[in-house]
């Protein structure tokens, strides 16, 4: 059974650019969540999608957005990148939201220069 | 956004010894408590999801308890092995429109 796949694994972008990250959940999982991990802040919740609808959103500026497609694949977009957006972005999927454990992908390491 | 505290921040334990650590969270509006293990260069791995007060869950040498009334959970590791070295994260989930709120974790190092 394939795990959660995130692409790309590594990305270097310049301040002011935008970036799109992709996440393919485990087959049959309808819930996809995104997290940002930085050394100082730990894992912080970005947003959660279930059946193409954003169910929850963390405390991040509007530059961070996401969407989920009918096949449950999800993308997150960050516009007007700032140096502080450099982080590991993790995606996690689950059959349902919150009641079962999440399976995490390997993450996308974003560096903004 | 929930205030989640994990203690201790780091822990060195001799191989074969047992250990435990704590996760504290607000007891109001509780829905579920997740525990994850995060080994270096890997992805976080789900250990337990607990929902009921008094819940106890076990997976091999690792077990967890939950007290939703006072807002804490303990994770126990019996007979620590080097492969238990990892960061252990807890994440409560409220009943509202919030996702998981992760604590900063307990970094466990097992010394042979």
């Amino acid at each position: 059974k394939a795990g959660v796949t995130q692409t790309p694994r590594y990305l270097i972008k310049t301040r002011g650019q935008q970036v799109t990250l992709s996440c393919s959940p485990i087959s049959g999982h309808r819930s996809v969540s995104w997290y940002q991990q930085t050394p100082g802040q730990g894992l912080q919740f970005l947003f959660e999608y279930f059946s193409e609808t954003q169910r929850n959103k963390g405390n991040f500026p509007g530059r961070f957005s996401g969407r989920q497609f009918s096949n449950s694949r999800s993308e997150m977009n960050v516009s007007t990148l700032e140096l502080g957006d450099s982080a590991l972005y993790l995606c996690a999927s689950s059959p349902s939201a919150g009641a079962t454990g999440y399976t995490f992908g390997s993450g996308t390491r974003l560096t903004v220069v | 956004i929930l205030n989640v505290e994990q203690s201790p921040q780091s822990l060195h334990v001799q191989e074969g010894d047992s250990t435990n650590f704590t996760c504290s969270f607000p007891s109001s509006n509780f829905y579920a408590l997740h525990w994850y293990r995060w080994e270096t260069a890997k992805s976080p791995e789900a250990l337990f999801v607990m929902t009921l007060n008094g819940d106890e869950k076990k997976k091999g040498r690792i077990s967890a308890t939950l007290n939703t009334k006072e807002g804490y959970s303990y994770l126990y590791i019996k007979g620590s092995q080097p492969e238990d070295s990892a960061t252990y994260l807890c994440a409560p989930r409220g009943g509202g429109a919030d996702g998981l709120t992760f604590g900063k974790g307990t970094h466990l190092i097992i010394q042979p």
Side-chain angles (χ1 to χ4, degrees):
Chain A
K1 194 175 183 182
V4 178
T5 304
Q6 289 189 248
T7 56
R9 287 296 306 276
Y10 303 93
L11 205 48
I12 300 175
K13 288 286 189 178
T14 305
R15 263 183 307 176
Q17 286 187 310
Q18 71 149 20
V19 68
T20 300
L21 312 182
S22 179
C23 172
S24 293
I26 288 175
S27 178
H29 284 194
R30 295 163 67 189
S31 171
V32 174
S33 302
W34 289 88
Y35 295 85
Q36 181 196 65
Q37 201 258 348
T38 56
Q41 296 297 319
L43 265 176
Q44 290 189 284
F45 171 71
L46 280 156
F47 22 68
E48 178 174 46
Y49 288 87
F50 185 83
S51 295
E52 300 179 68
T53 301
Q54 185 181 90
R55 286 189 51 158
N56 303 301
K57 191 175 193 310
N59 191 25
F60 278 82
R63 300 185 295 107
F64 290 80
S65 63
R67 57 180 175 166
Q68 186 180 32
F69 302 95
S70 58
N71 61 359
S72 292
R73 190 176 73 84
S74 177
E75 288 180 347
M76 69 162 276
N77 185 278
V78 189
S79 62
T80 321
L81 284 165
E82 300 176 0
L83 295 178
D85 297 334
S86 295
L88 177 68
Y89 290 87
L90 287 166
C91 160
S93 77
S94 171
S96 61
T100 54
Y102 288 84
T103 302
F104 281 81
S106 300
T108 294
R109 172 75 62 184
L110 172 65
T111 302
V112 182
V113 297
Chain B
I1 296 174
L2 304 174
N3 184 24
V4 184
E5 299 284 338
Q6 288 191 249
S7 63
Q9 219 172 348
S10 66
L11 194 51
H12 287 70
V13 173
Q14 209 64 34
E15 183 177 351
D17 286 351
S18 295
T19 187
N20 66 84
F21 25 93
T22 309
C23 170
S24 301
F25 52 88
S27 55
S28 60
N29 196 30
F30 174 84
Y31 178 71
L33 190 282
H34 293 228
W35 279 101
Y36 290 84
R37 174 170 59 201
W38 196 355
E39 295 177 67
T40 304
K42 293 188 178 178
S43 308
E45 172 200 355
L47 289 173
F48 306 112
V49 178
M50 308 169 79
T51 55
L52 299 176
N53 184 45
D55 239 356
E56 280 191 45
K57 295 225 172 175
K58 190 174 178 185
K59 187 176 182 178
R61 295 178 292 98
I62 304 177
S63 61
T65 60
L66 178 66
N67 183 321
T68 61
K69 294 187 177 177
E70 295 179 47
Y72 64 84
S73 175
Y74 293 133
L75 191 83
Y76 301 90
I77 302 178
K78 190 177 174 183
S80 304
Q81 299 297 309
E83 60 265 28
D84 296 328
S85 295
T87 296
Y88 291 82
L89 298 163
C90 73
R93 185 175 182 130
D98 297 324
L100 293 178
T101 301
F102 280 88
K104 296 231 164 95
T106 292
H107 183 51
L108 177 66
I109 297 168
I110 308 301
Q111 296 167 321

